[in-house]
Amino acid sequence: MIAGACITLQGVANARISQDIGTWQAATVTQLTGFILALMILLFVRDGDPRAFKQVNPVYLTGGALGAIIIFSEVSAIQKVGVTLTISVLLIAQLCLTFIIDIKGWFGVTKKKMSLPQFIGIGMMIAGVVILKI
């Protein structure tokens, strides 16, 4: 719940920042402040083993770069269609991709079978977004 609230608050804050300084500048500020906070927490908590970086697939280490695309897309969408529709579409996109990841077993996750109720649930969410847009 906290993460979901933070995603929404971050999107709204970024949209406001981008109106003043630009979208890519807002993405830069957001990524920088996120890095600084994560670094401070890491230095305080000191969990994990820094040598473990060698075990991580280098492709996965680029995951943070997706944040710049996420921020740019979210800010642009919020300015064009509003917060509610933007977050709704983002959540549906996330859910649809997670279904595919679970079904296919991508990224080393255990394959899961999806049944009719899960597909009905996604359909209902999509219908809800369509109703929101009307």
Side-chain angles (χ1 to χ4, degrees):
M1 294 293 286
I2 292 171
C6 287
I7 289 170
T8 300
L9 292 172
Q10 179 189 32
V12 173
N14 289 339
R16 291 292 306 136
I17 293 168
S18 74
Q19 289 175 342
D20 294 336
I21 64 173
T23 304
W24 284 112
Q25 292 84 347
T28 302
V29 167
T30 298
Q31 295 284 64
L32 179 62
T33 57
F35 170 76
I36 291 168
L37 179 60
L39 181 61
M40 289 178 5
I41 293 170
L42 175 65
L43 293 173
F44 180 73
V45 175
R46 296 192 181 272
D47 65 340
D49 181 3
R51 295 173 293 199
F53 277 110
K54 295 176 185 175
Q55 299 170 3
V56 177
N57 182 331
V59 172
Y60 299 152
L61 293 175
T62 64
L66 297 172
I69 297 166
I70 294 165
I71 292 167
F72 178 81
S73 302
E74 184 178 32
V75 166
S76 299
I78 286 173
Q79 291 173 348
K80 287 185 173 60
V81 300
V83 178
T84 303
L85 187 57
T86 297
I87 297 301
S88 299
V89 170
L90 288 173
L91 290 174
I92 289 171
Q94 284 181 304
L95 192 56
C96 289
L97 184 55
T98 58
F99 262 48
I100 294 168
I101 291 169
D102 274 344
I103 291 168
K104 301 284 186 180
W106 292 347
F107 306 105
V109 301
T110 304
K111 284 186 179 184
K112 295 181 182 165
K113 287 192 168 216
M114 296 298 166
S115 58
L116 186 60
Q118 284 87 19
F119 290 104
I120 291 172
I122 286 182
M124 290 174 68
M125 288 182 69
I126 292 169
V129 170
V130 169
I131 292 169
L132 273 173
K133 191 171 190 290
I134 296 175

